């Protein structure tokens, strides 16, 4: 039984930082892609960045240079370090796993079925 649990969301000021965590269980990150996605209310989820099984990290243009994805295998945790936050980063962020389109996802709308596993999401608010 695969579980993805996000945490670390909350409020931050413009220019500030937050680190999101996604703790996973029942899953081997080394076998499949993992990623972070965001969802503006009323719109489809959009890829923020992904970590492929070969270690390649791919970012959306909106995230590149400000956000960093990392992984700690010992803690079964995927991270999203978010720096230089902007008000437009105020959305719900989701952790997801297992897609065959790992390098194509960042920066494009992503239907729920694109990833096999999803977390419940964590809200980020930037003011």
């Amino acid at each position: 039984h695969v579980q993805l649990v996000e945490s670390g969301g909350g409020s931050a000021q413009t220019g500030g930082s937050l680190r999101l965590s996604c703790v996973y269980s029942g899953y081997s990150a080394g076998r499949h892609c993992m990623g972070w996605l965001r969802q503006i209310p009323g719109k489809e989820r959009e890829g923020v960045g992904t970590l492929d099984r070969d270690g390649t990290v791919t970012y959306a243009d909106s995230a590149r240079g400000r956000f960093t994805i990392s992984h700690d295998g010992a803690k079964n945790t995927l991270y999203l370090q978010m720096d230089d936050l902007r008000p437009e980063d105020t959305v719900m962020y989701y952790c997801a796993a297992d897609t065959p389109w790992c390098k194509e996802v960042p920066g494009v709308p992503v239907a729920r079925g694109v990833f096999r596993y999803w977390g419940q999401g964590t809200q980020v608010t930037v003011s």
Side-chain angles (χ1 to χ4, degrees), residues 3 11 17 24 29 32 39 51 58 65 87 92 97 103 110 122:
Q3 276 195 313
S11 298
S17 298
Y24 56 89
H32 300 289
Q39 186 169 28
L51 171 65
T58 305
M92 185 74 81
K103 294 179 175 59
V110 175
T122 186

Side-chain angles (χ1 to χ4, degrees), residues 12-18 66-67 81-86 89 126-127:
Q13 293 189 334
T14 298
S17 298
L18 285 172
R66 298 191 301 126
F67 295 178
Q81 176 68 39
M82 309 168 67
D83 298 319
D84 189 23
L85 284 165
R86 304 167 181 170
D89 296 321
V126 183
S127 59

Side-chain angles (χ1 to χ4, degrees), residues 27-40:
Y27 181 79
S28 174
R31 294 179 58 194
H32 300 289
C33 169
M34 294 193 73
W36 288 98
L37 298 98
R38 54 195 274 167
Q39 186 169 28
I40 298 171

Side-chain angles (χ1 to χ4, degrees), residues 42-59:
K43 293 191 175 182
E44 209 159 29
R45 295 174 187 182
E46 177 182 278
V48 174
T50 55
L51 171 65
D52 209 341
R53 55 185 177 176
D54 63 1
T56 302
V57 179
T58 305
Y59 296 99

Side-chain angles (χ1 to χ4, degrees), residues 61-116:
D61 288 345
S62 61
R64 192 175 296 113
R66 298 191 301 126
F67 295 178
T68 303
I69 290 175
S70 61
H71 175 252
D72 186 335
K75 296 182 178 179
N76 281 6
T77 302
L78 183 75
Y79 299 101
L80 178 65
Q81 176 68 39
M82 309 168 67
D83 298 319
D84 189 23
L85 284 165
R86 304 167 181 170
E88 54 263 39
D89 296 321
T90 298
V91 293
M92 185 74 81
Y93 287 81
Y94 295 89
C95 175
D98 196 355
T99 178
W101 300 288
C102 199
K103 294 179 175 59
E104 291 79 12
V105 159
V108 301
V110 175
R112 188 174 180 87
V114 169
F115 281 87
R116 185 173 182 182

